[in-house]
Amino acid sequence: MPKYLIHLAQCNFDFRRPELESLAELYNVEYLIPNGNNNVFTELDAFQTAPYLILNLENDFAAFNLVKRSILTMGIYELYGSGQDYDSIISQIASQKTENCSFKQFLGQKETVLKTMRFQLHTSGARSKYTMTEQIKKFNKFEALNIQNKISLKAPDIIYQLFENFDTPESELPSKVFFTRLVTLSLRSKNILDNLRLNKRPYIGTTTFEPELSLVTCNLALVKPYKLTYDPFCGTGGFLSTCATIEPKSMVIGSDLDGRMIRGGSSKSSTNSHITGRKNKNENEDLEKLVGKLEIQNKKVQGVRLNFKHYKQEEQLLGLMTMDFTHNSLRSSLKIDSIICDPPYGIREGIKVLGSKNGQEEKSKYAMRDGKLAYLADDYVAAKKQYSLDELMIDILKYADSRLPLNGRLAFWVPLANAKGIETFVMKKEGGLVLKYNCVQEFNNWARRLLVYVKTE
Amino acid sequence: MKLLTTNFIKCSVKACESSNKSFPLKYSNDCQLELNFEDDDEIVQSSYEFLIGILDKIEWEALLKVCQDLGNNDLPPNKPVLNEDVSNLNDNEKLILKQLFNLLVNTEIVEGSMSCDSCEHIYQIKNGIPNLLLPPHLS
């Protein structure tokens, strides 16, 4: 099998292996190594901060599928040679017979000859880049391999990529160099994070989830084209937007106990006031204009729907409703394929569900206002009661267990510990749901974890 | 809310769970409807595959009933069966998809109310968002 090199993003290390494994599963990429418990991603655990992962995959198609939707990698490349320096790689390739040399096989393909190409160089670690002249000197060494393709700097068909790995920023020479060919860049390299940046999003709230890990959450939950993803605590719709963006044919549905968050106009959310409040206004002028235009065309577009309009994803949003998760209104015959959420933890937002303390039931049933039953009024605000995170987690698990199809996934965030410092209890299993991943994101004074469950029976 | 959403939601009251009268909810005939965007063939065409995906999730009987509530009696009695291969759609199928798009995705219920046939609780729709919360004696 040909060798590939994955160029990894240098962040959120705990999530890198789960993401690649999930994508492999999603696109049926063979990643288990026969006769053992290991798989091709095991190495990521041994050396957590590694900039590269080298693995065997069936072909370019498998490599393309594995990385195209990933957020925690930069891209995937077919690996032709690695060593101390370029001369050793070149002499190694030159001495190999065609049947053992993937580079010669690639050059030998009929289609390859007519294609244009370009060389690129990337250095890992904090080391400074080379000047153009220094780079060209390195590229010219590869003349020895008799590459016949015409050069096109603007739009090459083939990109030969050189990687140099420096152990420390002070190192004089790279510890290893790689000669590769680009198969595909990841969504990360295609600017998806920039497009979803919170300061460029028309509608956000105080607890809107950051784009990067919310995209990773979508990958771990295996959101699929033409399949339904549900966020029962959607708030300002951060997960809904990222889900619709990472998979432009996916369908999303969201609900939240607090309707003001969905509709917009709550004190905890803002529609582009964060844009006008910023110092460097120029950058966001276009967005301001755009938001203005959206509002003129559709007078009432506000809240979560404004984001969907802004990203041109309106048809992907199948429904939004004010609803208590524990009193769920989605009909039980509706197939939900993935559930993703960031429930209130009781740290940044209090946990509440419908209901009241003892004795209120009778009162609410007969309370009158303006000659009508109060609870039927237009502006009736339903009573809510405090709830605990443990109860909520069990409710989420039970709900997911009853609604997900076989192999369907539930991905949700919980704090590592509550406000009193008591560690959150993590269930390994609930009904047919089994805990698959448990990844931690650290902050200065607290941490949260992403729990991913798979429906197994 | 999109008209499509009516096909997903039932009454929130736990006691209504087992009743087949709690889905679909009954929509009052004073619901205000609005079109989301102007008639745009380009958007419709780019959504063919998507619409076929949505159609798969629809319970047709319930859709018929909701449309009747809202004063539209023109839907065919059975769910249309469409060619899954989008490049091979005939004109009639394209027309059906366009109509479905206008009905399901383009039509928005902005204000109004809906009720459960089983417990008779009334839910409000405000600013295009249905409110499915319950007062304490029902929750």
Side-chain angles (χ1 to χ4, degrees), chain A residues 24 39 90 116 145 148 185 221 229 231 303 322 326 346 358 376 415 448:
Chain A
N39 68 42
I90 292 165
T116 54
L145 290 177
Q148 301 285 346
L185 292 173
T229 301
D231 180 354
T322 308
T326 60
N358 300 341
L376 291 177
R448 58 183 170 188

Side-chain angles (χ1 to χ4, degrees), chain A residues 177-236:
Chain A
V177 299
F178 303 89
F179 170 45
T180 70
R181 174 184 56 86
L182 175 70
V183 178
T184 187
L185 292 173
S186 68
L187 277 183
R188 185 195 193 86
S189 300
K190 291 175 183 165
N191 262 340
I192 190 169
L193 296 180
D194 201 41
N195 297 338
L196 285 171
R197 250 169 47 195
L198 293 184
N199 55 4
K200 281 189 176 179
R201 210 180 284 179
Y203 178 69
I204 58 168
T206 47
T207 54
T208 303
F209 211 93
E210 51 146 319
E212 180 164 337
L213 281 181
S214 99
L215 288 164
V216 173
T217 309
C218 293
N219 272 341
L220 293 195
L222 306 182
V223 305
K224 299 184 187 80
Y226 311 115
K227 300 279 180 195
L228 190 62
T229 301
Y230 172 44
D231 180 354
F233 303 91
C234 72
T236 53

